[in-house]
Amino acid sequence: MASKVIQAFYTDDDVLMDAVKKVRKEHHHIEEVFTPFPVHGLDKAMGLPHTRLAITAFMYGCLGLTVAITMMNFIMIEDWPQNIGGKPSFSFIENMPSFVPVMFELTVFFSAHLMVITFYMRSRIWPFKEAENPDVRTTDDHFLMEVSATSENVDELIGMLAETGATEIKVKDKQGDNH
């Protein structure tokens, strides 16, 4: 039982959305959908789980806040206390109002930068990585849906995808996991 991938091309995002819904309704596995721009609701139509990137952003923000508090307490209170404008330098709590901007900035800095790094690692995007786009037209004006198929149901899937409004359909042998 050889695995195949059927690539169906579409020229309209609404037609693509209807096709994705029909393919999912028929319980076929959609490998990937390539679009030239974000299509609202496509992730829900494909049945993709919600991202947990917001949770990591919160954790990274907490890490940034902890680093900011620890750093300012060590630098301004313990290591080299200075009398700046008559403010006491023997307690972090008494100096905290002047530390708030630094705490905010480091919270945002850690959250943003570590979230981007996490996104790249999770998406397996790193420098010098080969593009996985199967057709360059998907960066211009075409939409591409890749559907898994076995040798037995290829003809059935081709017929169904043609009914959904696909302008072009290709059948390719499935290569190893691209991810």
Side-chain angles (χ1 to χ4, degrees):
M1 180 160 90
S3 294
K4 305 269 187 194
V5 173
I6 300 175
Q7 296 179 340
F9 289 86
Y10 298 89
T11 55
D12 185 20
D13 57 334
D14 293 327
V15 176
L16 172 74
M17 283 291 287
D18 293 338
V20 166
K21 290 175 185 174
K22 184 171 183 179
V23 169
R24 290 263 304 154
K25 185 179 174 188
E26 297 292 327
H27 303 290
H28 296 290
H29 177 67
I30 299 173
E31 289 286 332
E32 189 66 74
V33 176
F34 296 91
T35 63
F37 54 83
V39 177
H40 179 69
L42 184 61
D43 52 344
K44 189 177 275 190
M46 288 178 61
L48 297 176
H50 290 287
T51 180
R52 294 184 301 250
L53 202 55
I55 297 169
T56 61
F58 177 75
M59 291 188 310
Y60 294 148
C62 290
L63 176 67
L65 182 63
T66 303
V67 167
I69 290 170
T70 305
M71 178 189 74
M72 288 182 302
N73 185 55
F74 177 74
I75 293 171
M76 298 300 290
I77 306 301
E78 294 175 16
D79 185 40
W80 195 346
Q82 298 176 30
N83 186 355
I84 301 173
K87 293 182 181 178
S89 58
F90 55 84
S91 167
F92 181 82
I93 297 297
E94 291 175 337
N95 285 311
M96 196 166 71
S98 61
F99 293 160
V100 167
V102 177
M103 291 189 298
F104 172 77
E105 290 298 332
L106 279 179
T107 300
V108 171
F109 179 85
F110 270 67
S111 181
H113 286 78
L114 292 176
M115 193 170 46
V116 167
I117 292 169
T118 301
F119 173 74
Y120 283 159
M121 289 172 54
R122 177 67 182 94
S123 301
R124 293 183 170 95
I125 300 173
W126 39 76
F128 311 111
K129 184 174 187 293
E130 289 286 327
E132 294 178 7
N133 193 352
D135 195 300
V136 295
R137 293 179 290 176
T138 59
T139 62
D140 188 23
D141 62 349
H142 281 70
F143 302 86
L144 170 66
M145 176 171 47
E146 291 185 336
V147 182
S148 297
T150 59
S151 298
E152 293 83 35
N153 69 351
V154 168
D155 294 330
E156 170 198 343
L157 270 170
I158 290 174
M160 183 184 68
L161 292 171
E163 289 175 9
T164 63
T167 58
E168 182 181 340
I169 299 173
K170 294 180 183 178
V171 179
K172 295 191 174 188
D173 288 327
K174 187 174 187 177
Q175 298 170 351
D177 188 21
N178 290 342
H179 301 287

